[in-house]
Amino acid sequence: MSVFTPLTPDQVGSWLKRYSLGALERLEGVAEGLQNSNFFVDTVHGRYVLTVFEQFNREELPFFVNLMAHLARHGIPCPTPIANRDNEYVGEIAGKPAIIVTRLGGRSLTQAGVAHCAAIGTLLGDLHVAAQSCGVRQKHQRGAAWRRETAKKLLPLLAADDAALLRDEIRHEAQHGSSELPRGIIHADLFRDNVLFDGERVSGLLDFYFAGVDALLFDLAVAANDWCRGAEEGGELDAARTVALLNAYHAVRPLSEREHLAWPAMLRAAALRFWLSRLLDAHRPRTGELVARRDPDEYRRLLRGHIAADRRQVWIDPPAA
């Protein structure tokens, strides 16, 4: 959602002629996120979001676009991709692949309450169930293998304490694999800035470009780490919000005892994933017109908090039978 590739109204207006969306009225760059260039596009017929892909080539995009189309057809409140006059979802602008999707109403939250966390649990459960019938599949690109390889690149660049923590955590993850847990397509980036709310109702789920097949529990851990984290420095999860998230998810897709046992390790794996990506952005930054960067220390503190909490992590109430 950062603008790495600036576009002019003339460029976008010309590009829109390939679509049946009407003439351009307004173009605005969106200065959030880290991966792609996003623009709000208003035409005479409606409001849309144009995404220019900075890290994907055209051949890599059909999975994400068809996943969004599938989920939208199954009632998940996600953007609907718009096909051009050649019936293609993926086009090209400024020499890069691009898509345009419907713009959803609502706003993202800076603070989440218990009701919001319950809504996210239901949403995530619905998404996992709906995605089971999706005909396209690809692995989660930032799964355990990516974490191992990224750690190797970063270790020589880190201070001694951080390097020791990273080595220990990669070793811990290798000893607590997720291969026997239920798997399916996950969103993998369900942060507050990727969800829109209208009151306490979810009105939009955004940014599917980390999606892929992995342990479903990993998706729940990513969400808990952002939506349920308490205000204290140590990074423990807020019990009431975490129980609301887990119980709502459990009501849609029941969680197993095996997932209960894996929950502490999965919270650590999810924290590690985002600590690594933020470290990578800090040590190997990309340039852009409007580039948002996020503090890696936030997820280092969260990871240390999870290590300290160990098996005291909050779980569903009542426990799974």
Side-chain angles (χ1 to χ4, degrees), residues 90-129:
V90 183
E92 184 177 295
I93 192 169
K96 297 179 180 181
I99 66 168
I100 191 164
V101 301
T102 54
R103 182 176 174 183
L104 303 175
R107 63 181 183 86
S108 57
L109 304 177
T110 55
Q111 299 292 328
V114 169
H116 299 118
C117 291
I120 291 301
T122 299
L123 172 69
L124 197 53
D126 288 340
L127 185 157
H128 288 169
V129 171

Side-chain angles (χ1 to χ4, degrees), residues 3-318:
V3 177
F4 298 98
T5 301
L7 298 177
T8 67
D10 286 345
Q11 281 178 293
V12 175
S14 177
W15 188 77
L16 284 172
K17 292 177 182 178
R18 302 185 181 99
Y19 295 79
S20 301
L21 299 176
L24 178 68
E25 291 189 333
R26 181 171 174 267
L27 176 69
E28 177 188 354
V30 184
E32 295 178 352
L34 293 168
Q35 299 302 319
N36 303 308
S37 296
N38 284 276
F39 301 83
F40 292 143
V41 173
D42 293 355
T43 77
V44 294
H45 292 324
R47 310 182 77 192
Y48 306 92
V49 177
L50 167 62
T51 297
V52 181
F53 294 95
E54 306 292 345
Q55 298 183 328
F56 294 109
N57 61 46
R58 187 168 183 151
E59 292 71 30
E60 294 174 308
L61 291 170
F63 166 74
F64 304 112
V65 179
N66 286 298
L67 174 62
M68 282 192 288
H70 173 87
L71 293 174
R73 288 194 300 269
H74 284 74
I76 303 300
C78 64
T80 301
I82 307 296
N84 61 24
R85 296 182 190 276
D86 296 323
N87 202 32
E88 297 175 333
Y89 286 136
V90 183
E92 184 177 295
I93 192 169
K96 297 179 180 181
I99 66 168
I100 191 164
V101 301
T102 54
R103 182 176 174 183
L104 303 175
R107 63 181 183 86
S108 57
L109 304 177
T110 55
Q111 299 292 328
V114 169
H116 299 118
C117 291
I120 291 301
T122 299
L123 172 69
L124 197 53
D126 288 340
L127 185 157
H128 288 169
V129 171
Q132 289 175 1
S133 58
C134 186
V136 291
R137 288 284 192 277
Q138 83 171 25
K139 69 178 182 179
H140 175 209
Q141 296 299 310
R142 296 209 168 178
W146 177 88
R147 295 192 285 275
R148 289 193 301 272
E149 291 305 310
T150 302
K152 290 178 185 177
K153 296 174 185 176
L154 288 169
L155 280 169
L157 307 176
L158 301 181
D161 286 352
D162 282 354
L165 173 61
L166 182 51
R167 288 191 192 94
D168 288 345
E169 207 54 27
I170 291 295
R171 188 180 305 112
H172 176 271
E173 183 168 50
Q175 295 169 348
H176 296 80
S178 61
S179 60
E180 295 184 358
L181 297 176
R183 297 174 68 82
I185 295 174
I186 66 171
H187 182 278
D189 195 28
L190 196 62
F191 279 57
R192 280 166 287 169
D193 59 2
N194 283 331
V195 180
L196 303 175
F197 271 87
D198 180 3
E200 293 181 347
R201 179 184 67 86
V202 176
S203 57
L205 173 56
L206 312 175
D207 199 352
F208 283 81
Y209 304 112
F210 289 113
V213 174
D214 206 332
L216 299 175
L217 192 66
F218 183 86
D219 224 7
L220 200 54
V222 170
N225 279 344
D226 187 61
W227 291 85
C228 304
R229 190 166 69 248
E232 66 278 357
E233 187 74 12
E236 289 191 7
L237 300 183
D238 175 76
R241 282 184 281 155
T242 306
V243 167
L245 173 79
L246 293 171
N247 281 354
Y249 181 92
H250 181 69
V252 178
R253 187 191 76 82
L255 292 156
S256 67
E257 180 60 25
R258 180 169 287 171
E259 288 174 302
H260 182 191
L261 295 173
W263 182 235
M266 200 61 62
L267 287 169
R268 289 169 64 167
L272 173 64
R273 178 263 185 264
F274 287 96
W275 183 40
L276 283 169
S277 61
R278 293 181 181 193
L279 282 171
L280 197 62
D281 287 331
H283 286 281
R284 298 183 178 181
R286 290 180 291 149
T287 58
E289 181 181 307
L290 299 168
V291 180
R293 306 206 190 282
R294 297 181 178 177
D295 182 9
D297 289 349
E298 177 186 0
Y299 268 74
R300 179 185 61 187
R301 291 192 297 269
L302 179 62
L303 177 57
R304 289 191 181 278
H306 285 332
I307 293 169
D310 193 34
R311 305 214 62 80
R312 294 183 289 106
Q313 298 288 3
V314 176
W315 189 242
I316 56 175
D317 182 24

